[in-house]
Each structure stands twice: as C-alpha cells, then as structure tokens.
Amino acid sequence: MTPTFDLEAPLLLMAVTDPWTRTKVRRALQTAGYRLVETASAAAVLANLRQTRPALILLDCALADQDGFQTCGQLRSLIEVANLPILLLTERTDLRGAQRAFDAGATDSMVKPISGRQLCFRVKTLLQLQQAVTDLQNAQSRIRQLRRTDHLTTLANSSRFRTHLNRFLASAPTNTTLTLLYLDLDRFKRINDTLGHLTGDRVLIQIAQRIQGALASAIAEGLLPCALEECCCARFGGDEFAVMLPGIDPQQVAPQLAHQLLSCLTQPFAVDGYEVVMTASLGISHFPGDTRDPDTLLKNAATAAYHAKQQGGNNSQIFQPNLLGGSAGRLRMENELRKALHNGELALYFQPQVALKDHRLFGAEALLRWHHPRLGTLLPGSFLPIAMESGLIVDIDEWVWKQACRQLADWQKQGWGDLHLSVNLSGQLYWQSRCIESLLCILRSSGADPCRLEIELTENTLMRRDRVTLDFLGHFKALGAQIAIDDFGTGFSSLGYLKDFPVDTLKIDRSFIRGLDEEGDPCPIIDAILAMGKSMGLRVVCEGIENKFQLAALKELGCPFGQGFYLGRPMPDALFTRHWHLHKASV
Ligand code: C2E
Ligand code: CA
Ligand code: CA
C-alpha cells in the first residue's frame, strides 16, 4: 500500500546505506506519520538539502561515499543546517560512537540495530526541542524588534535610528552624502493638555503617517533616490521625529523636502471629533559637510530645529556652527528659571495706563521681570519662550497671578479702590482645569476686588474657543473682572471669537502706533479698530506710545486710553506706588 502523506507532517531527510536499517527506519517513521526523503550518500544529502528543507536529518555513520561523522561536520558548517537537529546512527562496535557523534555536531545519536519505536520517540523529542528553540528564537527576535520600534507609531525608535546612522556612516564609501532632518512639533504639549494624552497619541500616529506619506511621494517623484526603509524614519521621544536622507543634494533637495514635510503637517488632523492644526520646527544637518560623527550630526540637526523654533516655529533651519551656543545655553536658562521661581528672582513691574484726553492715570499693566543673578534684569522676551516650551509657564503664570492679586489687594487696602490692574496670562494655563480652580481660589483668598482686575489674553488664545477657556472666563467675568485682548490686530483675521467671549478691552498692538510719526500719516487700521471698539462698546487702549507725535495723533483719532514709554515706563511696585501717589496729589 502506498502511504498517504500529510503535507503538514515534518519532512525528514535520511541517508542510510544498509538496506535492513533503511527499511526499518522508513517503516517506523512513515507509520508515525513523517514524510521522508531517502538518500544513501553524503553527496545526495547535500544536493537535496536546499530543495527539501527538512525538519531533521538522520545520518548513518557509514554512507556510500564517505563517513557519516565527517558528513555531519560538513553539514553543520552550512548556514541552513546550523540549527537543524541531526540524528546519527552509530555502530555497536564503535565504543566512542556517541562522543564522536557529538564532536561532529550531531544533536543526538542511536546505536544500531535500532528499535523502530525508540527511533520515533527520539525523533519526536528532537523535533519538539527544535520547535521550542525556534519559538524562543522568534520571541527573542520579536523582543529585539520591539525594542527597536516605537510602539505608538511603529516607526523606528531612537535606538534603532542611532544604530542605523552609526552603521551607515561607518560603512559610507567616499562621495556618500547624508542629510539628517530633525522635526520637533510646535507646542504639542497643548494638545495633550487640552484634549488628553490618548488624543495626543492619535495625533502622533497620524503625524508619523503623514511624514511617511510625504517621504513616499518624494521617492515616487524621484526627489529621493532611495527606498523608504533607508530613510529610517524614527520617533525620538515625545513629539520629535528624525529622518535620514542618503544621497540627496544638501543645498537644493534638502530644503525642498523639509518644506514638503512641514507643509504636509499643516493640513488639519481630524482626531476624536476635533480638528487639530499642527506645525513643526525642522532642523537640517549634513554628512560629511558638518561632521562625520553620528552623535554630533544628530545633535546639530536638533540644534537647528531648536533654532527654527526660536524663529517662531513652522520653518526649517540648516545647521550652522554659530547655532551651537544656543541649545546648551537654553538648557542652562531653563534650569536657572526653574530655580528663579523659588529663589524670589522674579518680580512684577507696573507700567502706567493713562486716559489720553486728560492724562489721568487710571491703572497699570503688570509686566514680568527676572532679576537674574548673572545677567541682570531680563525682559520676558528672553525667557518666556523657554518657559513656554518647558511647561514652566504654568507655574510662572500662577506666580504672576498670585503676586498681582496680592499687590492689588494691598493697593486697595491703602484706599486706592479705583486703581485698575491688567495681568498678562499665557493661554497655556487655561487648558488645565485644575489650574483654573487654583486661579479663582488665589483671587478669592487675596481679598482683591475683582472688579479692578483685567486679564490680558492674545487673540490666538481666544481663537481656540475651547470649553475650559470659556468656563474660566465665564467664572472670572461673573466675579466682575474684565478681559482684554492683547496685541489686537496681529492675530488671526477672523474676529468670530469676539461674539463668544465677553471681552471688555482691545489693546491695539504697538506695531500700528509705530507708523504714527511726525508726518502725521493717518493709520486706517487704528481708525478701524477704534470704530469697531466704539460700536461694540469696548474700551480701546493703544500700546507703545513713545513720543509726543504719536500721542497727539492718537488723541486726534479719538483714542481714549494709552500706554507707552512716553507716558511711563514699567517700574517696580514701590516706584509705581510713589508715581500713583504723586499723580493723585496733583489732580
Ligand atoms: P505686552 O503684553 O504687549 O506688553 C507690553 C510690552 O511693551 C512690554 O514689554 C512693555 O515693556 C513694552 N512697552 C511698553 N511701552 C512701550 C513703548 O512705548 N515702546 C516699546 N518699544 N515697548 C513698550 P515687556 O515687559 O518686555 O513684555 C513683553 C511681553 O511679554 C508682553 O507683551 C507680554 O506678552 C509678555 N509678558 C510680560 N509680562 C508677562 C507676564 O507676567 N505673564 C505672561 N504670561 N506674559 C508676560
Ligand atoms: Ca499685555
Ligand atoms: Ca501687547
């Protein structure tokens, strides 16, 4: 009867010369359900190996053309046999048969004459062991793979990227070029803070897909002369990505690709029912132009990305050696700023706000200063960007708020109940409802009359119109406090948010006032804002009045309130208190 073969059954390759053993082996193994390929010589085993891909090799110690031990040794040196079980049949007369079999690389040996049942048992055990080893190897390779993959986006992780970069540079032939792009999302933290980490994760997944999509298009267009895997697109930590671009023209193609990557992100992302708009800061470094060292190459690209962020984000910068001081200096500043909060190095200065028609002083804007132990008094422009990026801004805003409420309460206790105080808050605070509770609590416990307090927010913050911001402003307004839009006219062109938010004041940005010079050129924007303020019943304050011409022009235009160096510089609390005192005495 012809045996029927199960194609799923393991296939064994056997090489046995003596007919009696061969028949016994065949019967036993076929009865046990194994598939068999039979040969009698070492040459035939080697010839059949690649084609048959056996699960186990069974070798007789004496083959037609050579010794079985020698054949076993030869097989072991082949890559496809490296992990395969080899069972060697030895002679009873060969006392050291088992030892010789192991020395030759056999997995196991049996002495002839063999028992069919024992052979099947041995083969089964060897195959099970082999399966266990294979499973273990697969698991190990999966772990290795996972350790090199970013679980969220399935892109490479930083460790794989570095290994890839090291290998590439180590084996790079002369004339090889490599461009490295480092992409850092702008203000990604706000997504996590506003919409939660799960939504933030989904945005990151989509961003990874967009980046890969943009690279695939560049490859299809012939802009990138490599395969997608060679770009080794990776996620570095939270919201940073890196891409390797081998063999492109660093001057022409790299900026073009950088531009395409930035553009692909600016299309809104639809996530969990929200529409999220993202931008990124992108840094570019080159091998061998900038450096031959992989770590430095990566650091240079990150430095350039940081520089792009300093330029306001949503742009790319090519690494230049003069940027190097920046990131180290920035890190130092961040650490110093963290300490500054607790060391009492921050202070509020107060800039007078004046009614233009009669120069009546009616209040002040609180402006932050940092009395830096090494660098002297710093303006917010030199440290707020670092505070924003590092998240320290939340603590700073809270500190400013506490200080401002305390100061206002102090002035009110001195009998100056009509003094109005404006406080700048970065939008970041509103995304955390916990902070909002704490702000309201600080205000209540300070004892300050909220009716004299105003929050200055930028248009960009109000544009988001999110629930938390609306709630906070609602609570704040209910206490009698006011809301001003800072730098009005410089933000988004849509003014739709004015309908949703209970705004009281528009502060015309000082860039518009700059144009009002001696020539007395009319400024249509100021005119339009004044008209809009009037029709909506809003107070309008003009910022940055620096000379008498600007003051006269604004009076002429009918601007009711102003602020600027010409009317009073920002000053420490004691000086402002004196200023207020003198002013009150003079009217
Ligand atoms: P801002 O809210 O527009 O504040 C007005 C800025 O204009 C202040 O700069 C002020 O010193 C400056 N300024 C006032 N009058 C004139 C003038 O006549 N000419 C010129 N050239 N400048 C004038 P400062 O104090 O450097 O603040 C810069 C920005 O930093 C502020 O712009 C505000 O956005 C932010 N900031 C200031 N203090 C705080 C704060 O306590 N918290 C937060 N979150 N941001 C703050
Ligand atoms: Ca302001
Ligand atoms: Ca302003």
Side-chain angles (χ1 to χ4, degrees):
M1 194 178 79
T2 321
T4 51
F5 294 115
D6 173 5
L7 284 178
E8 291 301 307
L11 186 136
L12 315 181
L13 177 58
M14 73 179 244
V16 180
T17 21
D18 96 74
W20 187 84
T21 310
R22 193 164 164 166
T23 310
K24 192 145 194 198
V25 168
R26 180 193 308 128
R27 271 205 201 121
L29 292 178
Q30 283 184 344
T31 312
Y34 295 107
R35 291 182 292 146
L36 273 184
V37 174
E38 291 184 38
T39 61
S41 67
V45 170
L46 290 166
N48 273 289
L49 200 57
R50 223 158 257 158
Q51 208 186 342
T52 53
R53 299 174 151 271
L56 177 145
I57 300 173
L58 191 142
L59 286 181
D60 198 354
C61 56
L63 297 176
D65 49 354
Q66 70 176 28
D67 182 27
F69 297 100
Q70 194 186 346
T71 311
C72 183
Q74 281 171 349
L75 285 170
R76 272 293 176 237
S77 64
L78 300 175
I79 188 105
E80 50 276 63
V81 187
N83 295 316
L84 217 61
I86 301 179
L87 177 60
L88 238 162
L89 306 183
T90 59
E91 300 286 359
R92 186 188 292 274
T93 49
D94 189 347
L95 291 177
R96 290 184 53 250
Q99 184 60 50
R100 285 182 67 204
F102 284 122
D103 290 348
T107 320
D108 202 356
S109 67
M110 285 180 83
V111 180
K112 293 195 285 188
I114 50 150
S115 120
R117 283 179 67 188
Q118 271 185 6
L119 174 70
C120 289
F121 179 73
R122 209 57 88 79
V123 166
K124 190 176 170 196
T125 311
L126 286 174
L127 289 176
Q128 280 173 344
L129 272 174
Q130 177 63 14
Q131 188 57 49
V133 170
T134 310
D135 289 349
L136 188 67
Q137 283 172 339
N138 287 344
Q140 280 173 340
S141 111
R142 173 105 185 100
I143 290 168
R144 261 199 308 275
Q145 169 76 9
L146 284 174
R147 275 176 37 199
R148 298 161 72 232
T149 305
D150 170 47
H151 306 318
L152 184 66
T153 60
T154 68
L155 296 179
N157 62 13
S158 59
S159 139
R160 175 145 133 230
F161 188 87
R162 281 174 203 280
T163 311
H164 201 72
L165 181 64
N166 288 351
R167 276 199 202 130
F168 183 93
L169 296 190
S171 61
T174 22
N175 296 333
T176 307
T177 61
L178 180 76
T179 297
L180 226 145
L181 302 186
Y182 199 90
L183 195 141
D184 186 352
L185 300 177
D186 297 327
R187 292 175 287 280
F188 182 74
K189 191 177 172 298
R190 84 191 147 94
I191 306 280
N192 279 340
D193 291 347
T194 327
L195 308 177
H197 283 263
L198 278 178
T199 305
D201 283 354
R202 289 185 193 117
V203 174
L204 287 172
I205 292 170
Q206 289 199 31
I207 285 170
Q209 289 164 349
R210 290 254 181 110
I211 294 175
Q212 284 190 303
L215 292 173
S217 308
I219 291 168
E221 287 163 20
L223 201 59
L224 258 181
C226 60
L228 193 57
E229 309 79 63
E230 289 177 85
C231 299
C232 192
C233 188
R235 182 165 80 113
F236 268 64
D239 60 349
E240 287 160 29
F241 296 82
V243 179
M244 277 173 64
L245 306 173
I248 63 162
D249 175 351
Q251 302 307 328
Q252 302 289 324
V253 182
Q256 194 178 339
L257 263 164
H259 177 72
Q260 291 185 358
L261 280 177
L262 291 179
S263 315
C264 84
L265 294 184
T266 50
Q267 305 298 317
F269 293 89
V271 189
D272 297 343
Y274 298 99
E275 205 168 72
V276 174
V277 180
M278 279 312 307
T279 59
S281 302
L282 198 151
I284 306 172
S285 67
H286 295 303
F287 162 86
D290 296 336
T291 173
R292 305 187 77 87
D293 171 54
D295 286 342
T296 311
L297 195 67
L298 197 55
K299 205 175 81 199
N300 287 356
T303 302
Y306 172 68
H307 186 63
K309 188 150 294 205
Q310 296 286 86
Q311 308 298 305
N314 197 21
N315 74 100
S316 66
Q317 296 288 325
I318 298 177
F319 172 76
Q320 312 279 345
N322 64 0
L323 301 180
L324 270 178
S327 54
R330 178 196 172 279
L331 196 64
R332 183 173 183 189
M333 281 286 263
E334 186 182 320
N335 289 331
E336 288 174 335
L337 186 55
R338 211 175 290 279
K339 289 189 199 133
L341 258 168
H342 304 288
N343 292 351
E345 293 167 16
L346 298 184
L348 283 187
Y349 273 35
F350 300 91
Q351 183 174 32
Q353 293 187 327
V354 173
L356 296 187
K357 80 171 179 323
D358 53 5
H359 289 205
R360 183 179 52 87
L361 178 64
F362 70 92
E365 175 177 3
L367 292 163
L368 188 59
R369 296 293 178 262
W370 177 6
H371 297 306
H372 193 287
R374 191 164 41 87
L375 304 170
T377 299
L378 300 181
L379 296 176
S382 62
F383 60 89
L384 279 186
I386 294 174
M388 294 276 207
E389 267 175 48
S390 60
L392 273 173
I393 190 68
V394 174
D395 294 332
I396 290 181
D397 271 352
E398 192 171 309
W399 181 89
V400 165
W401 183 252
K402 197 178 275 175
Q403 208 60 19
C405 291
R406 197 179 288 165
Q407 183 66 71
L408 185 65
D410 229 38
W411 282 330
Q412 286 169 349
K413 268 186 223 139
Q414 293 182 44
W416 304 342
D418 54 342
L419 196 157
H420 163 108
L421 185 63
S422 295
V423 185
N424 294 284
L425 289 181
S426 83
Q428 298 211 8
L429 198 55
Y430 305 103
W431 295 315
Q432 302 185 10
S433 41
R434 174 181 62 80
C435 296
I436 288 163
E437 260 315 303
S438 129
L439 288 195
L440 290 171
C441 185
I442 290 169
L443 171 59
R444 283 190 211 104
S445 62
S446 73
D449 173 9
C451 297
R452 297 291 168 197
L453 202 53
E454 184 167 68
I455 297 187
E456 294 196 5
L457 297 169
T458 62
E459 281 178 275
N460 296 6
T461 305
L462 292 176
M463 270 296 289
R464 281 188 301 269
R465 299 191 217 184
D466 55 274
R467 191 73 260 146
V468 186
T469 310
L470 267 169
D471 280 356
F472 172 60
L473 296 181
H475 277 94
F476 189 69
K477 281 289 289 188
L479 293 170
Q482 288 142 54
I483 295 159
I485 302 180
D486 207 353
D487 307 339
F488 189 75
T490 57
F492 293 91
S493 50
S494 154
L495 297 178
Y497 64 86
L498 284 175
K499 293 197 305 292
D500 299 341
F501 288 99
V503 171
D504 304 276
T505 305
L506 301 180
K507 295 193 78 177
I508 304 183
D509 190 67
R510 66 171 185 270
S511 57
F512 301 116
I513 280 78
R514 239 175 264 143
L516 296 174
D517 53 16
E518 241 170 300
E519 309 291 306
D521 277 345
C523 176
I525 295 181
I526 299 181
D527 226 11
I529 298 175
L530 286 170
M532 191 179 93
K534 208 168 185 176
S535 73
M536 294 179 75
L538 304 177
R539 235 157 49 107
V540 179
V541 180
C542 241
E543 292 187 301
I545 305 174
E546 288 182 343
N547 55 51
K548 61 180 179 189
F549 304 109
Q550 292 168 340
L551 178 64
L554 285 169
K555 277 183 170 178
E556 183 79 23
L557 284 166
C559 180
F561 303 101
Q563 183 183 336
F565 293 165
Y566 187 66
L567 301 169
R569 286 189 173 259
M571 50 191 105
D573 57 343
L575 213 59
F576 182 82
T577 306
R578 214 166 69 210
H579 190 77
W580 180 264
H581 226 34
L582 288 173
H583 179 80
K584 284 287 157 183
S586 72
V587 288

